Amino acid sequence: MSGLSYPEREGCRNLLGLLDNDEIMALCDTITNRLVQPEDRQDAIRAILAYSQSGEELLRRKKVHRDIIFKYLASQGVIIPPATEKHSLIQHAKDYWKRQLQLKLKETPEPVKTSQDIRLFQQQKKEDKAEKVDFRQLGVQFCHWFFELLNSQNPFLGPPQDEWGPQHFWHDVKLRFYYNTSEQNMTEYHGAEIVSLRLLSLVKEEYLFLSPNLDSHGLKCASSPHGLVMVGVAGTVHRGNTCLGIFEQIFGLIRCPFVENTWKIKFINLRIIGEASLAPGTSMKPAITFEASDLEAFYNTISLCGTKEV
């Protein structure tokens, strides 16, 4: 998950512009562990920014040399002694970005001052206490976004519609993947980069297409007292024109406090069952069999007993 603020992102973009192409490509390989293959210089810069945890982390990379940081600061009007060591240059860059952020916030008109903003704020308070139908609406919108984005990475469907990556997950996200096809297995993955890559491989390398059933039987939602929203969805799994089986998936979503109206994924439980492993008579229009109260119990279970099978 990229943790760059707007000033950090723009600053790092300008700083990366001072590197030559070979340095940019080498830095991209290092940061993405060679799991991303950029098409050109700009593609590599986008990957570097997306996979960097912070501006400081990027500047501490060995491939970002002291003189590059010095040149960047000089171009921004930050004048410091030429012999300044790299760690001090990094601190100057952080201080500069912090000042830029404060200036940007001062330039932005204060929200919650107009009557419209007050109404929106009051509406948000009501939504925080909303009944299940409000959570369901969130679940529907999330599932439309998630599955359209993930499925669009399938090479058979043409160019992806948007960028898939760790930026959609919390950095400590956990994926528990259970599948029952020719064999049974359960694997856990930790961290935004690994989880995003594992999900991506399902559609990009295994050519799967996940079709969610978003009617009243295929989607259920609930929330915890701490602001975690849980979305349970069932659907069918396809490859080309062949239906391979069904899936059940539970998402845990937490609102991002830094970006308005944005939720990120905290955990995922994904269960795929091949058609040959389905019980006789099982419908190929799958349904979530648990209730909202079961989702809440599920949340409590994984919180207290992280590896317990639910």
Side-chain angles (χ1 to χ4, degrees):
M1 176 187 77
S2 176
L4 302 180
S5 66
Y6 179 79
E8 284 182 318
R9 178 175 290 274
E10 292 308 303
C12 289
R13 192 188 305 277
N14 292 334
L15 183 144
L16 292 172
L18 301 174
L19 300 176
D20 62 33
N21 287 344
D22 290 341
E23 292 171 325
I24 288 290
M25 294 301 178
L27 185 58
C28 180
D29 286 345
T30 299
I31 291 178
T32 65
N33 199 24
R34 297 183 182 274
L35 296 174
V36 174
Q37 301 298 323
E39 295 181 359
D40 53 30
R41 176 188 177 88
Q42 292 305 316
D43 196 23
I45 290 177
R46 282 193 292 270
I48 291 170
L49 297 177
Y51 284 87
S52 293
Q53 300 291 328
S54 67
E56 179 177 4
E57 182 212 41
L58 177 56
L59 296 189
R60 289 189 181 278
R61 297 281 182 179
K62 290 182 179 179
K63 291 181 172 58
V64 180
H65 302 296
R66 189 196 70 87
D67 59 328
I68 293 296
I69 305 174
F70 179 85
K71 289 179 182 178
Y72 163 72
L73 291 172
S75 71
Q76 302 301 307
V78 181
I79 307 303
I80 48 182
T84 304
E85 295 183 357
K86 182 177 178 179
H87 67 89
S88 296
L89 292 173
I90 293 173
Q91 187 60 51
H92 281 290
K94 289 172 58 181
D95 293 341
Y96 173 70
W97 291 332
K98 186 176 181 180
R99 291 195 300 272
Q100 293 299 108
L101 181 60
Q102 291 170 344
L103 288 173
K104 186 173 181 62
L105 291 175
K106 286 181 180 179
E107 293 171 359
T108 305
E110 281 196 23
V112 223
K113 291 287 183 172
T114 66
S115 58
Q116 180 183 5
D117 284 332
I118 291 174
R119 286 196 300 272
L120 289 173
F121 177 70
Q122 291 172 339
Q123 179 184 352
Q124 184 61 52
K125 289 184 68 176
K126 290 180 181 178
E127 288 175 356
D128 290 341
K129 300 178 181 179
E131 49 188 299
K132 294 175 184 177
V133 65
D134 297 310
F135 294 125
R136 177 175 176 79
Q137 184 60 31
L138 172 62
V140 170
Q141 293 176 353
F142 168 78
C143 287
H144 276 302
W145 168 82
F146 178 85
F147 289 104
E148 285 179 8
L149 176 60
L150 181 60
N151 287 326
S152 74
Q153 312 300 312
N154 190 316
F156 290 158
L157 302 181
Q161 66 174 22
D162 205 348
E163 183 179 1
W164 174 270
Q167 66 272 19
H168 304 306
F169 304 84
W170 291 100
H171 72 93
D172 57 349
V173 63
K174 177 189 292 186
L175 166 65
R176 178 178 292 168
F177 180 28
Y178 169 85
Y179 60 87
N180 184 358
T181 51
S182 57
E183 60 179 3
Q184 296 186 32
N185 198 5
M186 196 278 286
T187 311
E188 288 190 357
Y189 303 86
H190 300 263
E193 185 172 336
I194 297 301
V195 168
S196 66
L197 288 173
R198 183 62 186 97
L199 292 171
L200 178 62
S201 70
L202 291 176
V203 297
K204 191 172 182 179
E205 298 172 11
E206 300 177 42
Y207 308 114
L208 300 183
F209 184 95
L210 304 182
S211 178
N213 173 23
L214 300 183
D215 66 18
S216 58
H217 300 292
L219 175 71
K220 293 187 179 178
C221 307
S223 70
S224 78
H226 308 291
L228 177 80
V229 172
M230 288 156 284
V231 178
V233 61
T236 49
V237 183
H238 305 259
R239 181 181 289 125
N241 295 323
T242 303
C243 181
L244 302 178
I246 63 174
F247 74 88
E248 294 178 356
Q249 197 160 5
I250 298 177
F251 298 91
L253 310 178
I254 296 179
R255 186 189 299 273
C256 179
F258 309 111
V259 184
E260 185 178 0
N261 199 30
T262 298
W263 298 74
K264 292 192 176 185
I265 302 169
K266 181 70 172 177
F267 69 79
I268 300 176
N269 269 35
L270 174 58
R271 176 185 176 94
I272 293 180
I273 305 174
E275 186 174 9
S277 302
L278 290 172
T282 301
S283 170
M284 288 307 288
K285 187 176 183 183
I288 291 291
T289 56
F290 48 76
E291 300 298 329
S293 57
D294 298 322
L295 275 178
E296 295 168 4
F298 166 79
Y299 167 72
N300 293 331
T301 299
I302 65 168
S303 297
L304 296 174
C305 315
T307 59
K308 184 174 180 180
E309 180 67 25
V310 179

